[in-house]
Amino acid sequence: MPSATHETLIRLVRDEPGFVAALLRRRGMSCVDTSGATLVSENASVLQYAERRVDSVVSLTTPDNVGLVCAVEVQLGKNTDKLFTWPTYVTRLREDTRKPVALLVLCGTDIVAGWAGRPIEVGPGSLIQPIAIGPSDIPRIVDPDAPEATPEMTTLSVILHGNGDGGTDVIDAMNIVYSRMSDQDRAVNYTDYVYRLLSGNALMYLETQMSTHAYPFHSAFTQRYVAQGKAEGEAEGEAKGKAQGKAEAVLDLLHARGVPVSDGEQQHILQCTDHELLTTWLVQAMKAESAAELLEQTA
């Protein structure tokens, strides 16, 4: 199952496909435009070819109008199987789109980036060259006015550098960048991404900032989590209510049959929240001669 980091990085690409162009430009591919990028439908054949699935595909524009298709993969650890599947993505995309194809690999560590960035030999004289990006390729954004301080690059900066030394400076810059976003719903989404991946002192610092600074996206983020917690609480309360009803039905049946039930046995039944066990008790209560027998038979 993909990790939270894996899913977050892919969501970042899908939220803003133009971010892929910005990453490629950082690696010297100045021919791609940061505008006009579009996400290729997940129904495209290459995304599901041979029961394999590329993380995301972005179509980019170029000044010569030829365009470029980029297969985006997130790689958090070394996996030699990828050296065989990645070339498949590239060649199938090239066949399907009739356009040049790049393979961009977002890596969790520089060691993985070094491994993923090696040329893949698919045969004599035939190579696939992944473009691997690791933490050292992503700027540590502490100046919200820096040219590279886009919302997406800032988010990636916090994800990769926020838990390290000087992480509080990165978080401070992030707050200002997010407060300037015209789409505050997206700012809330990006805050959610960061919130889920920060830990320890960095997470505590972010929570402190959110409680002491009145940025609009802070309030919206908090309201979202309050609503989510309320919904989860209501669902939990509904489940507990159903369990309580079953437990009372078990006791009512025992009492109706004249089966003695001690205070301790009654509490034991009422405190049970296992719906399957309560259903079993309900059936057994129709013939059990005592509450002790009921509990012993289903212990």
Side-chain angles (χ1 to χ4, degrees), residues 51-221:
E51 298 185 353
R52 300 183 180 94
R53 190 178 184 86
V54 63
D55 286 330
S56 196
V57 176
V58 174
S59 178
L60 302 164
T61 58
T62 56
D64 58 10
N65 294 322
V66 174
L68 177 74
V69 176
C70 186
V72 183
E73 282 278 284
V74 172
Q75 197 63 35
L76 303 180
K78 297 179 182 180
N79 182 352
T80 54
D81 287 345
K82 296 292 186 178
L83 304 182
F84 297 92
T85 57
W86 285 343
T88 299
Y89 300 154
V90 172
T91 55
R92 280 303 300 268
L93 272 173
R94 185 170 181 270
E95 177 187 358
D96 289 351
T97 65
R98 295 296 196 269
K99 292 182 179 181
V101 178
L103 171 63
L104 177 65
V105 186
L106 303 179
C107 304
T109 67
D110 289 326
I111 292 176
V112 173
W115 167 82
R118 296 173 184 170
I120 301 172
E121 184 175 358
V122 294
S126 181
L127 298 173
I128 298 291
Q129 178 60 69
I131 302 170
I133 296 210
S136 63
D137 297 305
I138 302 302
R140 210 176 140 272
I141 296 176
V142 296
D143 179 3
D145 297 315
E148 65 269 25
T150 64
E152 291 72 35
M153 191 68 76
T154 300
T155 301
L156 192 53
S157 174
V158 176
I159 290 172
L160 295 178
H161 304 301
N163 286 319
D165 294 338
T168 56
D169 295 332
V170 179
I171 293 171
D172 286 340
M174 177 202 77
N175 281 327
I176 295 175
V177 170
Y178 286 1
S179 70
R180 296 172 177 172
M181 291 175 65
S182 58
D183 186 347
Q184 284 293 287
D185 287 338
R186 180 171 290 183
V188 173
N189 288 339
Y190 287 2
T191 304
D192 185 33
Y193 299 164
V194 169
Y195 188 85
R196 292 174 184 274
L197 295 180
L198 288 180
S199 61
N201 292 333
L203 179 58
M204 291 175 60
Y205 182 77
L206 175 60
E207 290 175 336
T208 299
Q209 295 300 299
M210 294 181 69
S211 65
T212 57
H213 289 73
Y215 291 127
F217 72 92
H218 280 175
S219 176
F221 175 80

